[in-house]
Amino acid sequence: MRIRTLVPGLAVVVAAAALTAGTAGAGTAASSEASPGQRAAQSGVQQVVGAAKHGKDEVPAIGRRWAAAWTTADTRDLARLYTKDAVYTDLAVNLVFHGREGVEEWESGSHKLIENLEFEATGGFRGRDGVVVEGVFSGHIVGAPRPFEVPLVTVLRLRGNLIHSSNDYYNRTEILSESGLPADWTPPGS
């Protein structure tokens, strides 16, 4: 069963972020020598007129804190960024966690499964009540022959200065392939 989540007001932003991160595409491959506008036209993607450029220096503060919290040893660092009734959804593995305890459980389990887990925020932007964070998710699945490094986009919905919900978008198959694991691999004990 696939989880489908629509984030009102940010759906277009997520699509643009996914395209920028290389996780979605349409049409033929765009030439690396073409300008960004030409590449978008070649791939059938329309550019948003007046869209702000984004980069690592423009990642909203909550996005930078979210990315940094994934790399600390204290799983409470990430959980503290969320509301008490938060919902954390990882769409690639079809898992949903509730509340700060759920966020802490998800991070703790992720660190047990993935050594050297990192998330480097490379871009992002903020809307009225949400933030999109683009980045590179990397690590080494315990027992896998090789480490992985894949693009990831996360949508953070805010309530005040805290995260009320988050949705992670990345390609699980790409992680397994880069790790040297079969596409049907599941973690031991699952």
Side-chain angles (χ1 to χ4, degrees):
M1 180 176 145
R2 295 177 58 91
I3 295 176
R4 295 188 188 265
T5 305
L6 177 61
V7 182
L10 289 178
V12 172
V13 172
V14 172
L19 287 168
T20 303
T23 58
T28 59
S31 166
S32 61
E33 295 177 4
S35 73
Q38 290 168 327
R39 285 194 302 269
Q42 289 171 354
S43 66
V45 177
Q46 294 182 349
Q47 284 188 308
V48 178
V49 177
K53 292 183 180 180
H54 56 280
K56 191 173 190 172
D57 294 338
E58 297 173 16
V59 177
I62 188 71
R64 288 191 309 271
R65 289 193 309 271
W66 179 88
W70 268 104
T71 63
T72 67
D74 185 353
T75 56
R76 293 173 296 186
D77 287 345
L78 183 64
R80 285 184 197 109
L81 298 175
Y82 285 80
T83 61
K84 290 180 183 179
D85 62 341
V87 178
Y88 194 117
T89 305
D90 186 310
L91 289 123
V93 292
N94 199 25
L95 291 174
V96 178
F97 295 87
H98 297 275
R100 288 181 179 150
E101 297 80 18
V103 172
E104 193 171 336
E105 176 188 350
W106 178 229
E107 184 184 15
S108 177
S110 296
H111 281 282
K112 287 178 186 170
L113 178 65
I114 303 170
E115 296 172 334
N116 303 316
L117 187 149
E118 296 275 335
F119 183 82
E120 178 189 357
T122 59
F125 38 93
R126 184 175 182 141
R128 188 179 71 240
D129 63 349
V131 170
V132 173
V133 181
E134 297 175 275
V136 177
F137 174 36
S138 62
H140 193 148
I141 297 173
V142 174
R146 299 182 302 270
F148 67 87
E149 185 175 282
V150 300
L152 178 138
V153 173
T154 294
V155 177
L156 307 173
R157 298 289 295 196
L158 306 176
R159 185 187 297 150
N161 293 322
L162 295 174
I163 301 167
H164 179 62
S165 70
S166 57
N167 295 306
D168 291 346
Y169 300 88
Y170 60 93
N171 188 327
R172 179 182 179 275
T173 302
E174 186 177 9
I175 288 175
L176 295 176
S177 175
E178 282 199 15
S179 297
L181 297 169
D184 62 349
W185 180 87
T186 57
S190 52

